[in-house]
Amino acid sequence: MTSTATEVAALLAQLTLEEKAALLDGSDLWRTTPVERVGIGKVWLSDGPHGLRSQPESGDHVGMLAADPSVAFPPAAALASTWDVELVGRVGVAIGAEARAKGVSVVLGPGVNMKRSPLCGRNFEYFSEDPRLAGTVGAAFVRGVQSQGVGTSLKHFAANNQETDRMSVSADVDERTLREIYLPAFEQVVTEAQPWTVMCSYNRINGVFASQNRWLLTDVLRDEWGFEGLVVSDWGAVYDREKAVHAGLDLEMPSSNGFGTQRVLDAVRSGELSETDVDRAVTRVLELVARSRPALADPGTADLDAHHGLAREAATRSAVLLKNDGILPLDAATGTVAVVGELARTPRFQGGGSSQVTPTRVDAALPALQEALGSRLTFAAGYAIDDDAPAATTSALRDEAVALAREASVVVLFLGLPDAYESEGFDRAHMQLPPQQVALLEALADVNDRVAVVLSNGSVVEVAPWRDRAAAILETWLLGQAGGGAIADLLLGRANPSGRLAETFPLRYEDNPALGNFPGEAGHVRYGEGLLIGYRWYDTRDLEVAYPFGHGLSYTTFAYADLTLDVLDDGAAPRVRVALTVTNTGERAGHEVVQVYVTDPEASVFRPAQELGGFTVVELDAGVSQRVEIELGARAFQFWHPEASRWVVEPGRFGIRVGASARDVRLAADVELAGEVVVPVLTADSTVEAWLAHPVAGAGLRAHLESDPVTAELFFSPETGVMLRAMPMRRIARFPGSPLPEAELETLAAQAEAAFRLGVS
Ligand code: BGC
């Protein structure tokens, strides 16, 4: 036993049942319950995760009351667009340091839920529509925060992909889809970074609340993935406290005002809940308290100015240049620049709800541009940010902007979503920008064809209706408190855009895969699109999109060459090294995000057209080449075998596509993998085809069927063979004159199985 384990065991032994039950409940909104009698202190858990939201003891939890100032970093949607684990890790370190300095022991995040629908109100808090990207940057964030002796809370576990009815809706998802799409980001963060805590979600999964879902919280999270930390409820996610304890939910937050404590006591006393289950949960609370102690004893200080600088760097790297007809960057020769849009002066830099931070300061783009352009810059607000009305035929604000645009050599137009459009707690009603803003773009473009649009939005918007009117589009997401300076740097070419889309921009809302299955009805949301989320859908359906997953332009260009593939390990858990040379063929330094997509054209099950297998970011000076290596692990090739209920790589050929987006494949090659053959378990109800394919039973059955000309004709002729072989053996056996003995089928199947499993073991 480690010394902590010994100490925790000794403490546990001293506690009364009442004290144990109390320890499983919060003491207020943000803190655990202390037991002073034996020296157990409180632990403070606090939102984030895009900056610290530490509220005073009397605070609320949905952002209505102010929190102490901290640095607001770009939210997850932006940060993921960097694809840069090193940078995301540094942001984590900074947030961890701020938490430590405040005495906060657990930062409540990151959120690694998938962006299933573009309308989910919390998409700005989530990384991606792809589990590998979300899991990779999520793990980097967790490692960063936790390097400071402060924990994280990986949330919202699991299948919390909408805000509509979030506290009750049942996400009805088949297991393969859960395993391949909705769980892997959690799995990757748990296995690679061991977050101190995992936060269960509010919703139900296939009818069972996440908070009392033993399969999820114990079988999968702990037994399969080896999670070692504590499971905390989302704030108010507990229903039957005793069932939750048994399922593996250790800590209920916030305080249930004694309600949960009493339920635990009653359930133990009535024998409904075992004290062993309670002890297990209490042990995890005590371990959390023990883990928190070193940082609490040595809080240190956080350098908020340096963190502001880091927030600016992260913001610069997060913005995605969607389109550029050559007007960006604005160069010295550019004449007057008309900056239009209230968002240039009043930035929307974060989303609403529990992640809302009170920033230490906020930089708007307008003053940063003014500083650089001086009298060459003119400004008009153009619209009021929360003006959601249908576009008026006349508008004084618009007229003023049009007058400036007419005189300018370039227009930089800031457009974006108002706070009321997207937030925690509700889903968006549509994917459009406010009508006034689109009307403003049209009016400006009518008088000046050099309009660069700067977008501020936490999740994708429809750009197709108006993008032809813009000569350039810079997607800046919500960029945190230092976003204004970052935008100025990018527009002016002091920085080179390097963000790449972590989510697809569909042409129109109606193209998205969750349509019709989102947000559900009568308490259920059916994940009917299955594996086909995001680019998996658009690429498999070969649908045109506005901007594909992985897309993003730069002020330089990159060439890809000399692809090599090396199988490092073969068999059931292959590893393949992908190597290529990337050259910066332009005139300025820049970052390129090299993406590797895997295809499985020979699969025995349905697979999406391609899936992201790995990626890396490379920074290159102009003219410089670099050899880049990306290692693909087994998971890049595996699928969740629905019959075997485990991950499987099938033998055969896999396609490797290397490119600059899901639709911009630059190099491709195939790799042959040994994989493993999975033989489904044979029963009397297996089809004739399955029997014939069985390594032990197959040959005998075939010989038997072929021994009689009539049955040979029935089972193997092109006319009737396919139909008959698709039938279960038992049904065939029951037909009059059947060649198969029903009474013996069970035994034959069992014998064949036994012989086969013996042979392979
Ligand atoms: C949110 C969590 C958050 C918690 C505490 C909940 O409503 O879903 O993400 O961490 O509140 O504020």
Side-chain angles (χ1 to χ4, degrees), residues 29-30 46-49 53 60-63 108-109 122 125-126 155-156 160 163 166-167 199 202 233-236 353-355 424:
L29 266 171
W30 304 113
S46 198
D47 274 308
R53 195 167 73 93
D60 70 309
H61 86 279
V62 282
L108 299 175
R122 289 186 97 168
E125 282 190 67
Y126 299 141
K155 66 190 187 183
H156 308 89
N160 178 188
E163 292 302 282
R166 67 170 164 159
M167 294 189 129
M199 183 190 292
Y202 287 123
S233 69
D234 197 346
W235 266 228
S354 61
S355 68
E424 176 179 341

Side-chain angles (χ1 to χ4, degrees), residues 392-445:
T393 40
T394 58
S395 149
L397 284 174
R398 196 193 308 154
D399 291 348
E400 184 197 353
V402 168
L404 294 187
R406 199 173 271 124
E407 302 304 317
S409 77
V410 144
V411 180
V412 179
L413 172 60
F414 286 73
L415 302 177
L417 300 181
D419 276 327
Y421 271 39
E422 57 181 352
S423 162
E424 176 179 341
F426 60 88
D427 293 317
R428 280 194 295 170
H430 56 77
M431 263 175 66
Q432 287 139 30
L433 290 172
Q436 300 287 4
Q437 295 190 24
V438 178
L440 174 64
L441 167 62
E442 309 266 351
L444 298 176

Side-chain angles (χ1 to χ4, degrees), residues 236-367:
V238 175
Y239 294 83
D240 302 315
R241 184 59 180 117
E242 61 289 350
K243 287 190 186 148
V245 173
H246 177 66
L249 182 116
D250 306 309
L251 175 64
E252 173 169 12
M253 286 298 291
S255 160
S256 71
N257 289 325
F259 183 76
T261 312
Q262 193 58 47
R263 292 273 297 249
V264 170
L265 286 174
D266 292 347
V268 173
R269 286 176 185 144
S270 70
E272 201 188 328
L273 177 68
S274 80
E275 197 163 342
T276 317
D277 281 339
V278 172
D279 284 355
R280 197 178 300 123
V282 171
T283 300
R284 291 178 192 136
V285 175
L286 297 178
E287 283 167 354
L288 180 68
V289 175
R291 275 179 135 168
S292 306
R293 219 176 288 134
L296 290 174
D298 176 18
T301 50
D303 183 344
L304 299 184
D305 285 338
H307 292 178
H308 182 82
L310 175 60
R312 181 168 176 159
E313 181 189 348
T316 310
R317 298 286 311 285
S318 298
V320 182
L321 184 61
L322 295 177
K323 165 176 181 173
N324 187 12
D325 289 352
I327 65 164
L328 292 181
L330 306 172
D331 64 28
T334 309
T336 315
V337 178
V339 175
V340 178
E342 184 57 50
L343 284 159
R345 177 167 64 182
T346 315
R348 182 161 171 259
F349 60 94
Q350 63 176 343
S354 61
S355 68
Q356 210 163 309
V357 165
T358 303
T360 57
R361 56 188 261 207
V362 179
D363 296 348
L366 183 60

